[in-house]
Each structure stands twice: as structure tokens, then as C-alpha cells.
Amino acid sequence: MTQEIASLKDPTGREHFLGGEITRIGRAVENDIVITSKRVSREHTQIRREGWRIVVEDMSSTNGTILNGERLFDIQQLRDGDQIKIGDVVFTFFDPENTQQDNVLPILEIDTAAGIVRLNRQSVDLAPKEYTLLTYLHARLGEVCAKDEIATAVWPEYADGVYDYQVENLVRRLRTKIEADASKPQMLVTVRGRGYKLLGLG
């Protein structure tokens, strides 16, 4: 019977099952997965379980851990199909429980410290006002934000000189960047007669 636990598959096709609480990857022989390369630090990366989640963390390695083409700077939750590059070795993460999870919303990540927005792990290029609107709504996740509140937050330089159509146009532009179908928004929704709200992120 197939072992129904998450695993990493290396370029040779070998599966490394993630059965323990922590799986350590590095050059040292003490690691659970050993990569004998000078580009790999002795303790390079670790993957661990946090409740129902499986997360990956770089252990201050010299050359970094690359997740889906981008260097890892903080702890990230792994999702089925993610690619983790350590040195010159690329592992693919497989999660058999993925088919049992109902992920309705796209995966939207907002790193306010770095000013980066990612949709399904891909960077999204936002104009300054689009970014301001998104972070404002994100700070009030699930709350209805009135148009005049949004106007004050996004256009503080114009005081009372912002019209509803400007807010509506900005919302429309942001939706084209973060929604799979801007005409049928799943995340940035309209609450008729009250304003807009950002729903819980994936």
C-alpha cells in the first residue's frame, strides 16, 4: 500500500518521506537528507510539521534555500508541487492530503516589511495606490471598509477631494491583478451599499 505521507522527490526520482516532526537537510552526515556539495551548508534547511501544516525554513545557510525560484527569507508553508532548491539539487514536495483540502481562494501573500505581494507564489507588480489599497484592506481583513475610509487612507493628500468613481476604478484595477476572474471576485468583494472587504487569504 502506498505510504500516504508527504515526501520530497529528488532529481533521481527517489522519494524522501517526511514522517518525522522535523526533517533536516544539509551536508553533514547527521542530517536526515544528506547532500554532499560545497554549495550546501552543514545545516542548510529544515522541514517541520506545525499542526496540519508542513513548513520549510532556511537555517542561515551560505547560499540560501530557493522556494519556487525565490530565495527563502522567512518560514513558508509548503504546498503540493512546490520546488525547493538546495545547492544544485531541486526537490519537489508532494502532499497526498492535498486532494482532501478545499482551497477555494487563491493563495495571496503580503510581505509588508519587504513591500512584496505574491499570488500563488508568483510576485505581483502593483502600482503604489494599488499596493496601499491592498495593505489597508489586509490590515482590516474580513471587515467592511467604506469608500470614504478608503479614500482617506489611499489619497490622504487630497482630503475630501476624492470621488467614488476613483475608489471604484482603483478597486477594479487591483482586482485585475489579484483575482483569477476580476468580473467574479473571490477575495476583494463588494458589500452593496457599504463598501469593500478583503476575505481570508489562502
Side-chain angles (χ1 to χ4, degrees):
M1 188 174 74
T2 303
Q3 196 168 4
E4 291 296 312
I5 60 175
S7 65
L8 295 179
K9 182 177 285 187
D10 65 28
T12 69
R14 179 185 175 190
E15 284 188 288
H16 305 266
F17 291 102
L18 307 174
E21 288 297 311
I22 298 177
T23 300
R24 296 177 176 85
I25 306 172
R27 195 175 74 247
V29 295
E30 296 84 9
N31 289 287
D32 301 290
I33 300 174
V34 179
I35 304 174
T36 55
S37 168
K38 291 182 179 179
R39 291 181 52 79
V40 177
S41 297
R42 289 182 59 79
E43 296 179 356
H44 199 106
T45 306
Q46 76 173 15
I47 295 171
R48 67 177 184 271
R49 293 182 176 274
E50 291 186 350
W52 58 269
R53 305 192 315 159
I54 298 178
V55 300
V56 59
E57 179 181 10
D58 181 76
M59 303 304 290
S60 301
S61 65
T62 301
N63 293 309
T65 300
I66 309 300
L67 178 63
N68 298 325
E70 293 190 13
R71 185 161 181 162
L72 197 63
F73 290 105
D74 53 9
I75 297 169
Q76 290 285 341
Q77 179 183 345
L78 287 173
R79 295 179 174 86
D80 190 56
D82 279 350
Q83 293 196 321
I84 307 165
K85 185 176 182 182
I86 300 171
D88 295 319
V89 179
V90 177
F91 295 93
T92 303
F93 174 73
F94 291 102
D95 185 0
E97 294 185 2
N98 180 70
T99 55
Q100 302 170 18
Q101 297 171 0
D102 186 14
N103 256 346
V104 176
L105 297 180
I107 302 164
L108 181 65
E109 301 170 276
I110 304 173
D111 184 344
T112 52
I116 296 172
V117 175
R118 297 185 184 90
L119 182 66
N120 293 331
R121 300 295 180 92
Q122 301 297 317
S123 295
V124 179
D125 185 21
L126 297 181
K129 294 297 185 186
E130 294 167 352
Y131 179 79
T132 301
L133 171 60
L134 182 59
T135 53
Y136 177 79
L137 294 173
H138 178 249
R140 294 154 184 81
L141 196 64
E143 298 178 13
V144 180
C145 299
K147 290 180 182 178
D148 59 347
E149 294 172 339
I150 292 172
T152 300
V154 177
W155 289 277
E157 67 273 23
Y158 292 133
D160 297 326
V162 179
Y163 298 96
D164 281 359
Y165 79 86
Q166 292 174 276
V167 175
E168 292 162 5
N169 286 340
L170 182 61
V171 168
R172 192 176 300 115
R173 292 200 303 272
L174 180 57
R175 281 175 172 160
T176 66
K177 304 285 186 70
I178 67 171
E179 299 280 4
D181 183 350
S183 66
K184 299 175 182 177
Q186 294 178 284
M187 294 184 289
L188 206 179
V189 299
T190 301
V191 180
R192 193 172 299 277
R194 297 180 60 195
Y196 304 96
K197 69 177 177 180
L198 189 68
L199 297 180
L201 310 186

